[in-house]
């Protein structure tokens, strides 16, 4: 049994995750349990009680403060920003505590917020505001601390950015109507990523067939071991790269 903890309605993501895990875990039935809508902290705490095979934790901005979500939109007056940051810091501290506790009962996969941040602050869209930088630093600090545990795997933001442009991830209509924030293509891609973190594939091995003047600079048969290189000192670091 896999336990999926999220603050949003898991809907299609649950279906995609079950399908991806079924492809990986052949000949095994995949059962995914979910918690209550809007109660991420409570859902994470269920992992310690249920002790599933693995736990999946999905964080989004509205889990840090409801005013960061479109369904619970609050005032975005300038004097609210410091309060939102205080709330976010308190929530990330809570999440750190209960996630580390839950990791003692099941291996975990944690996905930090991947949706675009709503335009809460008062700077142009091309300028990073102090509020935005501090909020993302707060989440980054949480991820950095959780990543120290061998029982917790963090979804790479670099990888998600490479497979899905941020502007193509959010489905406003679906979130307003059903509480599910992702577009279907992104939900599918994210579920595949999470499934590979739950059950990592076997490491691949490579057979390199072109060595001379490719992997290293020089020709081994003519220059000898001391005559080939791929490092910065020998000005051949591009071969290593």
């Amino acid at each position: 049994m896999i336990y999926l903890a999220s603050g949003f309605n898991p809907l299609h993501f649950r279906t995609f995750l079950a399908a991806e895990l079924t492809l990986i875990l052949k000949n095994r039935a995949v059962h995914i349990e979910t918690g209550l809508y809007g109660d991420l902290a409570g859902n994470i705490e269920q992992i310690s009680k249920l002790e599933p095979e693995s736990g999946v934790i999905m964080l989004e901005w509205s889990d840090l403060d409801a005013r960061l979500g479109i369904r619970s939109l609050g005032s975005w007056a300038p004097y609210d920003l410091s309060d939102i940051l205080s709330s976010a810091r308190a929530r990330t501290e809570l999440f750190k505590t209960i996630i580390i506790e839950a990791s003692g009962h099941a291996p975990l996969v944690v996905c930090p917020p991947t949706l675009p941040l709503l335009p809460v602050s008062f700077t142009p869209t091309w300028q990073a505001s102090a509020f935005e930088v501090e909020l993302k630093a707060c989440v980054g600090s949480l991820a950095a601390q959780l990543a120290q545990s061998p029982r917790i795997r963090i979804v790479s933001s670099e990888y998600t950015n490479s497979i899905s442009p941020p502007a193509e991830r959010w489905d406003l209509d679906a979130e307003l109507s059903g509480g599910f924030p992702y577009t279907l293509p992104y939900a599918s891609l994210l579920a595949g990523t999470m499934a590979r973190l739950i059950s990592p594939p076997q490491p691949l091995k490579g057979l390199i067939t072109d060595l001379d003047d490719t992997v290293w600079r020089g020709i081994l048969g003519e220059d000898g071991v001391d005559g080939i290189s791929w490092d910065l000192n020998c000005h051949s670091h591009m071969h290593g790269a």
Side-chain angles (χ1 to χ4, degrees), residues 7-165:
F8 58 81
N9 188 341
L11 281 176
H12 310 296
F13 183 80
R14 177 183 181 180
T15 303
F16 284 130
L17 182 61
E20 292 287 348
L21 286 171
T22 300
L23 292 174
I24 294 173
L25 305 173
K26 294 178 173 57
N27 302 318
R28 287 186 56 187
V30 175
H31 177 64
I32 298 179
E33 287 282 347
T34 58
L36 297 176
Y37 172 71
D39 184 18
L40 178 59
N43 294 337
I44 295 171
E45 289 174 339
Q46 285 297 312
I47 296 173
S48 300
K49 300 174 183 177
L50 297 175
E51 298 192 341
E53 290 182 55
S54 296
V56 175
I57 299 172
M58 308 289 294
L59 281 160
E60 281 302 342
W61 298 113
S62 57
D63 296 312
L64 306 182
D65 189 288
R67 290 167 288 185
L68 296 175
I70 200 71
R71 285 175 64 88
S72 302
L73 199 59
S75 170
W76 286 347
Y79 52 77
D80 289 317
L81 300 187
S82 61
D83 186 58
I84 292 175
L85 280 175
S86 296
S87 172
R89 293 189 185 103
R91 292 287 286 176
T92 52
E93 190 63 30
L94 170 64
F95 290 145
K96 182 188 75 172
T97 301
I98 59 179
I99 290 173
I100 290 175
E101 166 64 22
S103 70
H105 300 268
L108 304 177
V109 174
V110 178
C111 185
T114 61
L115 291 177
L117 186 63
L118 294 177
V120 180
S121 59
F122 299 88
T123 56
T125 54
W126 54 88
Q127 177 184 342
S129 67
F131 171 83
E132 175 188 349
V133 171
E134 289 187 51
L135 185 64
K136 291 183 177 180
C138 187
V139 172
S141 175
L142 172 65
Q145 293 176 74
L146 295 179
Q148 301 301 314
S149 170
R151 300 270 291 174
I152 301 174
R153 293 174 177 149
I154 308 294
V155 174
S156 167
S157 61
E158 292 292 329
Y159 179 75
T160 54
N161 288 340
S162 72
I163 63 172
S164 175

